[in-house]
Coordinates of all heavy atoms in Angstrom, one line a residue:
M6 N -42.1 231.3 -72.0 CA -41.4 232.0 -70.9 C -41.9 233.4 -70.9 O -42.1 234.0 -71.8 CB -39.9 232.0 -71.2 CG -39.1 232.8 -70.3 SD -37.3 232.7 -70.7 CE -36.7 233.9 -69.6
S7 N -42.3 233.8 -69.7 CA -42.8 235.2 -69.5 C -41.8 236.0 -68.7 O -41.2 235.5 -67.7 CB -44.2 235.1 -68.9 OG -44.1 234.5 -67.6
L8 N -41.7 237.2 -69.0 CA -40.7 238.1 -68.3 C -41.6 239.1 -67.5 O -42.6 239.5 -67.9 CB -39.9 238.9 -69.3 CG -38.9 238.0 -70.2 CD1 -38.3 238.9 -71.2 CD2 -37.9 237.4 -69.3
T9 N -41.0 239.5 -66.4 CA -41.6 240.5 -65.6 C -41.3 241.9 -66.2 O -40.4 242.0 -67.0 CB -41.1 240.5 -64.1 OG1 -39.7 240.8 -64.1 CG2 -41.4 239.1 -63.5
A10 N -42.0 242.9 -65.8 CA -41.8 244.2 -66.3 C -40.4 244.7 -66.0 O -39.7 245.4 -66.8 CB -42.8 245.2 -65.8
A11 N -39.9 244.4 -64.8 CA -38.5 244.8 -64.4 C -37.5 244.1 -65.3 O -36.5 244.7 -65.6 CB -38.3 244.4 -62.9
E12 N -37.7 242.8 -65.6 CA -36.7 242.1 -66.5 C -36.7 242.7 -67.9 O -35.6 242.9 -68.5 CB -37.1 240.6 -66.6 CG -36.8 239.9 -65.3 CD -37.4 238.5 -65.3 OE1 -38.4 238.2 -65.9 OE2 -36.7 237.6 -64.6
I13 N -37.9 243.1 -68.4 CA -37.9 243.8 -69.7 C -37.3 245.1 -69.7 O -36.6 245.5 -70.6 CB -39.4 243.8 -70.2 CG1 -39.9 242.4 -70.5 CG2 -39.5 244.7 -71.4 CD1 -41.4 242.4 -70.9
D14 N -37.4 245.9 -68.6 CA -36.8 247.2 -68.5 C -35.3 247.1 -68.5 O -34.6 248.0 -68.9 CB -37.3 247.9 -67.2 CG -38.7 248.4 -67.4 OD1 -39.2 248.6 -68.5 OD2 -39.4 248.7 -66.3
R15 N -34.7 246.0 -68.0 CA -33.3 245.8 -68.0 C -32.7 245.5 -69.3 O -31.5 245.7 -69.5 CB -32.9 244.7 -67.0 CG -32.9 245.2 -65.5 CD -32.4 244.1 -64.6 NE -33.5 243.8 -63.7 CZ -33.9 242.6 -63.4 NH1 -33.3 241.5 -63.9 NH2 -34.9 242.4 -62.6
L16 N -33.5 245.1 -70.3 CA -33.0 244.8 -71.6 C -32.9 246.1 -72.4 O -33.6 247.1 -72.1 CB -34.0 243.9 -72.4 CG -34.2 242.5 -71.9 CD1 -35.4 241.8 -72.6 CD2 -33.0 241.7 -72.1
P17 N -31.9 246.2 -73.3 CA -31.8 247.4 -74.1 C -33.1 247.5 -75.0 O -33.5 246.6 -75.7 CB -30.6 247.1 -75.0 CG -30.1 245.7 -74.8 CD -30.9 245.2 -73.6
H18 N -33.7 248.7 -75.0 CA -34.8 249.0 -75.8 C -34.4 249.4 -77.2 O -33.6 250.4 -77.3 CB -35.7 250.1 -75.2 CG -36.5 249.6 -74.0 ND1 -35.9 249.1 -72.9 CD2 -37.8 249.5 -73.8 CE1 -36.8 248.7 -72.0 NE2 -38.0 249.0 -72.5
V19 N -34.8 248.7 -78.2 CA -34.4 248.9 -79.6 C -35.6 249.0 -80.5 O -36.5 248.2 -80.4 CB -33.5 247.7 -80.0 CG1 -33.0 247.8 -81.4 CG2 -32.4 247.4 -79.0
P20 N -35.6 250.0 -81.4 CA -36.6 250.1 -82.3 C -36.6 248.9 -83.3 O -35.6 248.4 -83.6 CB -36.3 251.4 -83.1 CG -35.4 252.2 -82.3 CD -34.7 251.2 -81.4
I21 N -37.8 248.5 -83.7 CA -37.9 247.3 -84.6 C -37.1 247.4 -85.8 O -36.5 246.4 -86.3 CB -39.4 247.0 -84.9 CG1 -39.5 245.5 -85.4 CG2 -40.0 248.0 -85.8 CD1 -40.8 244.9 -85.4
T22 N -37.0 248.6 -86.4 CA -36.2 248.8 -87.6 C -34.7 248.5 -87.4 O -34.0 247.9 -88.2 CB -36.3 250.2 -88.2 OG1 -36.1 251.1 -87.2 CG2 -37.8 250.4 -88.8
T23 N -34.2 248.9 -86.2 CA -32.8 248.7 -85.8 C -32.6 247.2 -85.6 O -31.6 246.6 -86.0 CB -32.4 249.5 -84.6 OG1 -32.7 250.9 -84.8 CG2 -31.0 249.3 -84.2
F24 N -33.5 246.6 -84.9 CA -33.4 245.2 -84.6 C -33.4 244.3 -85.8 O -32.6 243.4 -86.0 CB -34.6 244.7 -83.6 CG -34.5 243.3 -83.2 CD1 -33.6 242.9 -82.2 CD2 -35.2 242.3 -83.8 CE1 -33.5 241.6 -81.8 CE2 -35.1 241.0 -83.5 CZ -34.3 240.6 -82.5
K25 N -34.3 244.7 -86.8 CA -34.4 243.9 -88.0 C -33.1 244.1 -88.8 O -32.7 243.1 -89.6 CB -35.6 244.4 -88.9 CG -36.9 243.9 -88.4 CD -38.0 244.4 -89.4 CE -39.3 243.8 -89.1 NZ -40.3 244.3 -90.1
A26 N -32.4 245.2 -88.7 CA -31.2 245.4 -89.5 C -30.1 244.5 -89.0 O -29.3 244.1 -89.8 CB -30.8 246.9 -89.4
N27 N -30.0 244.2 -87.7 CA -28.9 243.4 -87.2 C -29.4 242.7 -85.9 O -28.9 243.0 -84.8 CB -27.7 244.3 -86.9 CG -26.5 243.5 -86.6 OD1 -26.5 242.3 -86.7 ND2 -25.4 244.2 -86.2
P28 N -30.2 241.7 -86.1 CA -30.7 240.9 -84.9 C -29.5 240.2 -84.2 O -29.6 239.9 -83.0 CB -31.7 240.0 -85.4 CG -31.5 239.9 -86.9 CD -30.8 241.2 -87.3
A29 N -28.5 239.8 -84.9 CA -27.4 239.0 -84.4 C -26.6 239.8 -83.3 O -26.0 239.3 -82.4 CB -26.5 238.5 -85.4
H30 N -26.7 241.2 -83.4 CA -26.0 242.0 -82.5 C -26.6 241.8 -81.1 O -25.9 242.1 -80.1 CB -26.2 243.5 -82.9 CG -25.6 244.5 -82.0 ND1 -24.2 244.7 -81.9 CD2 -26.1 245.3 -81.1 CE1 -24.0 245.6 -81.0 NE2 -25.1 246.0 -80.5
Y31 N -27.8 241.4 -80.9 CA -28.5 241.3 -79.6 C -28.5 239.8 -79.1 O -29.3 239.5 -78.2 CB -29.9 241.8 -79.7 CG -29.8 243.3 -80.2 CD1 -30.1 243.6 -81.5 CD2 -29.5 244.3 -79.3 CE1 -30.0 244.9 -82.0 CE2 -29.4 245.6 -79.8 CZ -29.7 245.9 -81.1 OH -29.6 247.2 -81.5
L32 N -27.7 238.9 -79.7 CA -27.7 237.5 -79.3 C -27.3 237.3 -77.8 O -27.8 236.5 -77.1 CB -26.8 236.7 -80.2 CG -27.4 236.4 -81.6 CD1 -26.3 235.6 -82.4 CD2 -28.7 235.6 -81.5
T33 N -26.3 238.1 -77.4 CA -25.8 237.9 -76.0 C -26.5 238.8 -75.0 O -26.6 238.4 -73.9 CB -24.3 238.2 -76.0 OG1 -24.0 239.5 -76.5 CG2 -23.5 237.2 -76.8
S34 N -26.9 240.0 -75.4 CA -27.5 240.9 -74.5 C -29.0 240.8 -74.4 O -29.6 241.2 -73.4 CB -27.1 242.4 -74.8 OG -27.7 242.7 -76.1
G35 N -29.7 240.3 -75.5 CA -31.1 240.3 -75.6 C -31.6 241.7 -76.0 O -30.8 242.7 -76.1
A36 N -32.9 241.9 -76.2 CA -33.4 243.2 -76.6 C -34.9 243.2 -76.3 O -35.6 242.2 -76.5 CB -33.1 243.4 -78.0
A37 N -35.4 244.4 -76.0 CA -36.8 244.7 -75.9 C -37.1 245.5 -77.2 O -36.7 246.6 -77.3 CB -37.1 245.5 -74.7
V38 N -37.8 244.9 -78.1 CA -38.1 245.5 -79.4 C -39.3 246.4 -79.2 O -40.3 246.0 -78.7 CB -38.3 244.4 -80.5 CG1 -38.6 245.1 -81.8 CG2 -37.1 243.5 -80.6
T39 N -39.1 247.6 -79.7 CA -40.2 248.6 -79.6 C -40.8 249.0 -80.9 O -40.1 249.0 -81.9 CB -39.7 249.9 -78.9 OG1 -38.7 250.5 -79.7 CG2 -39.2 249.6 -77.5
T40 N -42.1 249.2 -80.9 CA -42.8 249.7 -82.1 C -43.5 251.0 -81.6 O -44.3 250.9 -80.7 CB -43.8 248.7 -82.6 OG1 -43.1 247.4 -82.8 CG2 -44.5 249.1 -83.9
H41 N -43.2 252.1 -82.2 CA -43.7 253.4 -81.9 C -43.6 253.7 -80.4 O -44.4 254.2 -79.7 CB -45.2 253.5 -82.3 CG -45.4 253.3 -83.7 ND1 -45.0 254.2 -84.7 CD2 -46.0 252.3 -84.4 CE1 -45.3 253.7 -85.9 NE2 -46.0 252.6 -85.7
G42 N -42.4 253.3 -79.8 CA -42.1 253.6 -78.4 C -42.6 252.6 -77.4 O -42.3 252.7 -76.2
R43 N -43.4 251.6 -77.8 CA -43.9 250.6 -76.9 C -43.3 249.3 -77.2 O -43.1 248.9 -78.3 CB -45.4 250.5 -77.1 CG -46.2 251.8 -76.8 CD -47.6 251.7 -76.9 NE -48.0 250.7 -75.9 CZ -49.3 250.6 -75.5 NH1 -50.2 251.4 -76.0 NH2 -49.6 249.8 -74.5
V44 N -43.0 248.6 -76.1 CA -42.4 247.2 -76.3 C -43.4 246.3 -76.9 O -44.5 246.1 -76.4 CB -41.9 246.7 -74.9 CG1 -41.4 245.3 -75.0 CG2 -40.8 247.6 -74.3
S45 N -43.0 245.7 -78.0 CA -43.8 244.7 -78.7 C -43.3 243.3 -78.6 O -44.1 242.4 -78.8 CB -44.0 245.1 -80.2 OG -42.7 245.2 -80.8
A46 N -42.0 243.2 -78.3 CA -41.5 241.8 -78.2 C -40.2 241.9 -77.4 O -39.5 243.0 -77.3 CB -41.1 241.2 -79.5
A47 N -39.9 240.8 -76.7 CA -38.6 240.8 -75.9 C -37.9 239.5 -76.3 O -38.4 238.4 -76.4 CB -38.9 240.7 -74.4
F48 N -36.6 239.7 -76.7 CA -35.7 238.6 -77.0 C -34.6 238.4 -76.0 O -33.9 239.4 -75.7 CB -35.1 238.8 -78.4 CG -36.2 238.8 -79.5 CD1 -36.8 240.0 -79.9 CD2 -36.5 237.6 -80.1 CE1 -37.8 240.0 -80.9 CE2 -37.5 237.6 -81.1 CZ -38.1 238.8 -81.5
V49 N -34.5 237.3 -75.4 CA -33.5 237.0 -74.4 C -32.6 235.9 -74.8 O -33.0 235.0 -75.5 CB -34.2 236.6 -73.0 CG1 -35.0 237.7 -72.5 CG2 -35.1 235.4 -73.2
P50 N -31.3 236.0 -74.5 CA -30.4 235.0 -74.9 C -30.7 233.7 -74.1 O -31.1 233.7 -73.0 CB -29.0 235.6 -74.5 CG -29.3 236.7 -73.5 CD -30.7 237.1 -73.8
V51 N -30.4 232.6 -74.8 CA -30.6 231.3 -74.2 C -29.3 230.6 -73.9 O -28.4 230.6 -74.7 CB -31.4 230.4 -75.2 CG1 -31.6 229.0 -74.6 CG2 -32.7 231.0 -75.5
A52 N -29.1 230.1 -72.7 CA -27.9 229.5 -72.3 C -27.7 228.2 -73.0 O -28.6 227.4 -73.2 CB -27.9 229.2 -70.8
D53 N -26.4 227.9 -73.5 CA -26.1 226.7 -74.2 C -25.5 225.7 -73.2 O -24.5 225.9 -72.7 CB -25.1 227.0 -75.3 CG -24.8 225.8 -76.2 OD1 -25.5 224.8 -76.1 OD2 -23.8 225.9 -77.0
D54 N -26.3 224.6 -73.1 CA -25.8 223.6 -72.1 C -24.9 222.6 -72.8 O -24.4 221.7 -72.1 CB -27.1 222.8 -71.6 CG -28.0 223.6 -70.8 OD1 -27.5 224.7 -70.3 OD2 -29.1 223.3 -70.6
A55 N -24.6 222.7 -74.0 CA -23.7 221.7 -74.7 C -22.3 221.7 -74.2 O -21.6 220.7 -74.2 CB -23.7 222.0 -76.2
E56 N -21.8 222.8 -73.7 CA -20.4 222.9 -73.2 C -20.2 222.3 -71.8 O -19.1 222.2 -71.4 CB -19.9 224.3 -73.3 CG -19.9 224.9 -74.7 CD -19.5 226.3 -74.8 OE1 -19.0 226.8 -73.7 OE2 -19.6 226.9 -75.8
K57 N -21.3 222.1 -71.1 CA -21.2 221.6 -69.7 C -20.7 220.2 -69.6 O -20.4 219.7 -68.5 CB -22.5 221.8 -69.0 CG -22.9 223.2 -68.8 CD -24.1 223.3 -68.0 CE -24.5 224.8 -67.7 NZ -25.7 224.9 -67.0
G58 N -20.6 219.5 -70.7 CA -20.2 218.0 -70.6 C -21.4 217.2 -70.8 O -22.5 217.6 -70.6
S59 N -21.2 216.0 -71.3 CA -22.3 215.1 -71.6 C -22.7 214.2 -70.5 O -21.9 213.9 -69.6 CB -21.9 214.3 -72.8 OG -21.6 215.1 -73.9
D60 N -23.9 213.8 -70.5 CA -24.4 212.9 -69.5 C -23.9 211.5 -69.8 O -23.8 211.1 -70.9 CB -25.9 212.9 -69.6 CG -26.6 212.1 -68.5 OD1 -25.9 211.6 -67.6 OD2 -27.9 212.0 -68.6
A61 N -23.5 210.8 -68.8 CA -22.9 209.5 -68.9 C -23.9 208.5 -69.6 O -23.5 207.7 -70.4 CB -22.4 208.9 -67.6
A62 N -25.2 208.6 -69.2 CA -26.2 207.7 -69.8 C -26.3 208.0 -71.3 O -26.5 207.1 -72.1 CB -27.5 207.9 -69.1
L63 N -26.3 209.3 -71.7 CA -26.4 209.7 -73.1 C -25.2 209.2 -73.9 O -25.4 208.6 -75.0 CB -26.5 211.2 -73.2 CG -26.5 211.8 -74.6 CD1 -27.7 211.3 -75.4 CD2 -26.5 213.3 -74.6
E64 N -24.0 209.3 -73.3 CA -22.8 208.7 -74.0 C -22.9 207.2 -74.1 O -22.5 206.7 -75.2 CB -21.5 209.2 -73.2 CG -21.2 210.6 -73.3 CD -21.1 211.1 -74.7 OE1 -20.4 210.4 -75.6 OE2 -21.6 212.2 -75.0
G65 N -23.4 206.6 -73.1 CA -23.6 205.1 -73.2 C -24.6 204.7 -74.3 O -24.3 203.8 -75.1
A66 N -25.6 205.4 -74.4 CA -26.6 205.2 -75.5 C -26.0 205.4 -76.9 O -26.3 204.6 -77.8 CB -27.9 206.0 -75.3
K67 N -25.2 206.5 -77.0 CA -24.6 206.8 -78.3 C -23.6 205.6 -78.7 O -23.6 205.2 -79.8 CB -23.9 208.1 -78.2 CG -24.7 209.3 -78.2 CD -23.9 210.6 -78.2 CE -24.7 211.8 -78.2 NZ -23.9 213.0 -78.1
A68 N -22.9 205.2 -77.7 CA -21.9 204.1 -78.0 C -22.7 202.8 -78.4 O -22.2 202.1 -79.3 CB -21.1 203.8 -76.7
R69 N -23.8 202.5 -77.7 CA -24.5 201.3 -78.1 C -25.2 201.5 -79.5 O -25.2 200.5 -80.2 CB -25.6 201.0 -77.1 CG -25.0 200.4 -75.8 CD -26.0 200.1 -74.8 NE -26.5 201.3 -74.2 CZ -27.5 201.4 -73.3 NH1 -28.1 200.3 -72.9 NH2 -27.9 202.5 -72.8
L70 N -25.6 202.7 -79.8 CA -26.1 202.9 -81.2 C -25.1 202.8 -82.2 O -25.3 202.2 -83.3 CB -26.8 204.3 -81.2 CG -28.1 204.4 -80.5 CD1 -28.6 205.9 -80.5 CD2 -29.2 203.6 -81.2
R71 N -23.8 203.2 -81.9 CA -22.7 203.0 -82.9 C -22.5 201.5 -83.1 O -22.2 201.1 -84.2 CB -21.5 203.8 -82.4 CG -21.6 205.3 -82.7 CD -20.2 205.9 -82.5 NE -19.8 205.9 -81.1 CZ -20.1 206.8 -80.1 NH1 -20.8 207.8 -80.4 NH2 -19.6 206.6 -78.9
L72 N -22.5 200.8 -82.0 CA -22.3 199.4 -82.0 C -23.4 198.7 -82.8 O -23.1 197.8 -83.7 CB -22.2 198.8 -80.6 CG -22.2 197.2 -80.5 CD1 -20.9 196.7 -81.1 CD2 -22.3 196.8 -79.1
L73 N -24.6 199.1 -82.6 CA -25.8 198.6 -83.3 C -25.6 198.8 -84.8 O -26.0 197.9 -85.6 CB -27.0 199.2 -82.8 CG -28.3 198.8 -83.4 CD1 -28.6 197.3 -83.1 CD2 -29.5 199.6 -82.8
A74 N -25.1 200.0 -85.2 CA -25.0 200.3 -86.6 C -23.9 199.3 -87.3 O -24.0 199.1 -88.5 CB -24.5 201.7 -86.8
R75 N -23.0 198.8 -86.5 CA -21.9 197.9 -87.0 C -22.4 196.4 -87.0 O -21.7 195.6 -87.7 CB -20.7 198.1 -86.2 CG -20.0 199.4 -86.4 CD -18.7 199.5 -85.7 NE -18.2 200.8 -85.7 CZ -18.0 201.5 -84.6 NH1 -18.2 201.0 -83.4 NH2 -17.6 202.7 -84.6
L76 N -23.4 196.1 -86.3 CA -23.8 194.7 -86.2 C -24.5 194.3 -87.5 O -25.3 195.0 -88.1 CB -24.8 194.5 -85.1 CG -24.2 194.7 -83.7 CD1 -25.3 194.6 -82.6 CD2 -23.1 193.7 -83.4
A77 N -24.1 193.1 -88.0 CA -24.6 192.6 -89.2 C -25.7 191.5 -89.0 O -26.6 191.4 -89.8 CB -23.5 192.0 -90.1
D78 N -25.6 190.8 -88.0 CA -26.6 189.7 -87.7 C -27.9 190.2 -87.3 O -28.0 191.0 -86.3 CB -26.0 188.8 -86.7 CG -26.8 187.5 -86.4 OD1 -27.6 187.2 -87.3 OD2 -26.7 186.9 -85.3
A79 N -29.0 189.9 -87.9 CA -30.3 190.4 -87.6 C -30.8 190.0 -86.2 O -31.4 190.8 -85.5 CB -31.3 189.8 -88.6
D80 N -30.4 188.8 -85.7 CA -30.7 188.4 -84.4 C -30.1 189.3 -83.3 O -30.7 189.7 -82.3 CB -30.4 187.0 -84.1 CG -31.2 186.0 -84.9 OD1 -32.4 186.4 -85.3 OD2 -30.7 184.9 -85.2
L81 N -28.8 189.6 -83.5 CA -28.1 190.5 -82.6 C -28.6 191.9 -82.6 O -28.7 192.6 -81.6 CB -26.6 190.5 -83.0 CG -25.8 189.2 -82.7 CD1 -24.4 189.4 -83.2 CD2 -25.8 188.9 -81.2
V82 N -29.0 192.4 -83.8 CA -29.6 193.7 -83.9 C -30.9 193.8 -83.1 O -31.2 194.7 -82.4 CB -29.9 194.1 -85.4 CG1 -30.7 195.3 -85.5 CG2 -28.5 194.2 -86.2
A83 N -31.8 192.8 -83.3 CA -33.0 192.7 -82.5 C -32.8 192.7 -81.0 O -33.5 193.4 -80.3 CB -33.9 191.5 -83.0
E84 N -31.8 191.9 -80.6 CA -31.5 191.8 -79.2 C -31.0 193.1 -78.6 O -31.4 193.5 -77.6 CB -30.4 190.7 -79.0 CG -30.0 190.4 -77.6 CD -28.9 189.4 -77.5 OE1 -28.9 188.4 -78.2 OE2 -28.0 189.6 -76.6
E85 N -30.1 193.8 -79.4 CA -29.6 195.1 -78.9 C -30.7 196.1 -78.9 O -30.7 197.0 -78.0 CB -28.4 195.5 -79.8 CG -27.8 196.8 -79.3 CD -27.1 196.7 -78.0 OE1 -26.7 195.6 -77.6 OE2 -26.8 197.7 -77.4
L86 N -31.6 196.1 -79.9 CA -32.7 197.0 -79.9 C -33.6 196.8 -78.6 O -34.1 197.8 -78.1 CB -33.5 196.8 -81.1 CG -33.1 197.6 -82.4 CD1 -33.9 197.2 -83.6 CD2 -33.1 199.1 -82.2
E87 N -33.8 195.6 -78.3 CA -34.6 195.3 -77.0 C -33.9 195.9 -75.8 O -34.5 196.5 -75.0 CB -34.8 193.8 -76.9 CG -35.8 193.2 -77.8 CD -36.0 191.7 -77.6 OE1 -35.8 191.3 -76.4 OE2 -36.4 191.0 -78.5
R88 N -32.6 195.7 -75.7 CA -31.8 196.2 -74.6 C -31.9 197.8 -74.6 O -32.0 198.4 -73.5 CB -30.4 195.8 -74.6 CG -30.3 194.4 -74.0 CD -28.8 194.0 -73.9 NE -28.4 193.6 -75.2 CZ -27.2 193.1 -75.5 NH1 -26.3 193.1 -74.6 NH2 -26.9 192.7 -76.7
L89 N -31.7 198.4 -75.7 CA -31.8 199.8 -75.8 C -33.2 200.4 -75.4 O -33.3 201.3 -74.7 CB -31.4 200.3 -77.2 CG -30.0 200.4 -77.6 CD1 -29.8 200.7 -79.1 CD2 -29.2 201.4 -76.8
S90 N -34.2 199.7 -75.9 CA -35.6 200.1 -75.5 C -35.8 200.0 -74.0 O -36.4 200.8 -73.4 CB -36.6 199.2 -76.3 OG -36.5 199.5 -77.7
A91 N -35.3 198.9 -73.4 CA -35.5 198.7 -72.0 C -34.8 199.7 -71.2 O -35.3 200.3 -70.2 CB -35.1 197.3 -71.6
S92 N -33.6 200.0 -71.6 CA -32.8 201.0 -70.8 C -33.4 202.4 -71.0 O -33.4 203.2 -70.1 CB -31.3 201.0 -71.2 OG -31.1 201.5 -72.5
R93 N -33.9 202.7 -72.2 CA -34.5 204.0 -72.5 C -35.8 204.2 -71.7 O -36.0 205.2 -71.1 CB -34.8 204.2 -74.0 CG -35.4 205.5 -74.4 CD -36.2 205.4 -75.7 NE -37.2 204.5 -75.6 CZ -37.6 203.7 -76.6 NH1 -37.0 203.7 -77.8 NH2 -38.6 202.8 -76.5
D94 N -36.6 203.1 -71.7 CA -37.9 203.2 -71.0 C -37.7 203.3 -69.5 O -38.6 203.7 -68.8 CB -38.7 202.0 -71.4 CG -39.1 202.0 -72.8 OD1 -39.0 203.1 -73.4 OD2 -39.5 201.0 -73.4
A95 N -36.5 202.8 -69.0 CA -36.3 202.8 -67.5 C -35.8 204.2 -67.1 O -35.8 204.5 -65.9 CB -35.3 201.7 -67.2
D96 N -35.3 205.0 -68.0 CA -34.8 206.3 -67.6 C -35.9 207.2 -67.1 O -37.0 207.2 -67.5 CB -34.1 207.0 -68.8 CG -32.8 206.4 -69.2 OD1 -32.3 205.7 -68.4 OD2 -32.4 206.7 -70.3
A97 N -35.6 208.0 -66.0 CA -36.5 208.9 -65.5 C -36.4 210.2 -66.3 O -35.3 210.6 -66.7 CB -36.2 209.2 -64.0
V98 N -37.5 210.9 -66.5 CA -37.5 212.1 -67.3 C -37.3 213.2 -66.3 O -37.9 213.4 -65.3 CB -38.9 212.3 -68.0 CG1 -38.9 213.7 -68.7 CG2 -39.1 211.2 -69.0
G99 N -36.3 214.1 -66.6 CA -35.9 215.2 -65.7 C -36.9 216.3 -65.8 O -37.9 216.3 -66.6
E100 N -36.7 217.4 -65.1 CA -37.6 218.5 -65.1 C -37.4 219.3 -66.5 O -36.3 219.3 -67.0 CB -37.2 219.5 -64.0 CG -37.7 219.1 -62.7 CD -37.6 220.3 -61.7 OE1 -37.9 221.4 -62.0 OE2 -37.2 220.0 -60.5
A101 N -38.5 219.8 -67.0 CA -38.5 220.6 -68.2 C -37.8 221.9 -68.0 O -37.8 222.4 -66.9 CB -39.9 220.8 -68.7
R102 N -37.1 222.3 -69.0 CA -36.4 223.6 -68.9 C -37.1 224.7 -69.7 O -37.7 224.5 -70.6 CB -35.0 223.5 -69.5 CG -34.1 222.6 -68.7 CD -32.7 222.7 -69.3 NE -32.1 221.4 -69.0 CZ -30.9 221.1 -69.4 NH1 -30.2 222.0 -70.1 NH2 -30.3 220.0 -69.1

């Protein structure tokens, strides 16, 4: 990810010694880390998508995997693995983030 100069200017400018002393302080705000007054690195917070709710297909796959873990018969395990592979391979890959 690359930031524009304007985006870096909006971040709080913090000397590297201050940032190293407490990097967790900048988890929500981000920081432009400076060395001798020049920006040497920029740290930006990352949005957590885990709280938005789970995808129905993902929940279905998890349920099938739990069922697969409980199956004892080798033939049933092989059959379920084939179904999981087919459904996984049929999924479309979304855009990269």
Side-chain angles (χ1 to χ4, degrees):
M6 176 179 171
S7 60
L8 297 173
T9 64
E12 291 170 327
I13 292 174
D14 285 340
R15 281 186 241 132
L16 294 172
H18 284 61
V19 181
I21 193 163
T22 54
T23 305
F24 183 79
K25 282 183 176 181
N27 190 6
H30 178 73
Y31 304 99
L32 286 177
T33 57
S34 66
V38 180
T39 60
T40 305
H41 302 293
R43 298 182 66 161
V44 175
S45 58
F48 294 90
V49 293
V51 176
D53 184 12
D54 294 339
E56 296 179 12
K57 290 185 179 179
S59 298
D60 185 7
L63 177 62
E64 290 303 319
K67 286 180 182 179
R69 286 184 285 177
L70 286 171
R71 284 191 295 272
L72 173 65
L73 180 62
R75 292 186 192 117
L76 294 175
D78 185 22
D80 293 334
L81 291 174
V82 170
E84 182 182 320
E85 184 65 20
L86 276 173
E87 284 181 27
R88 279 189 278 183
L89 281 172
S90 296
S92 69
R93 180 201 62 217
D94 295 341
D96 288 344
V98 177
E100 281 192 41
R102 294 186 208 177

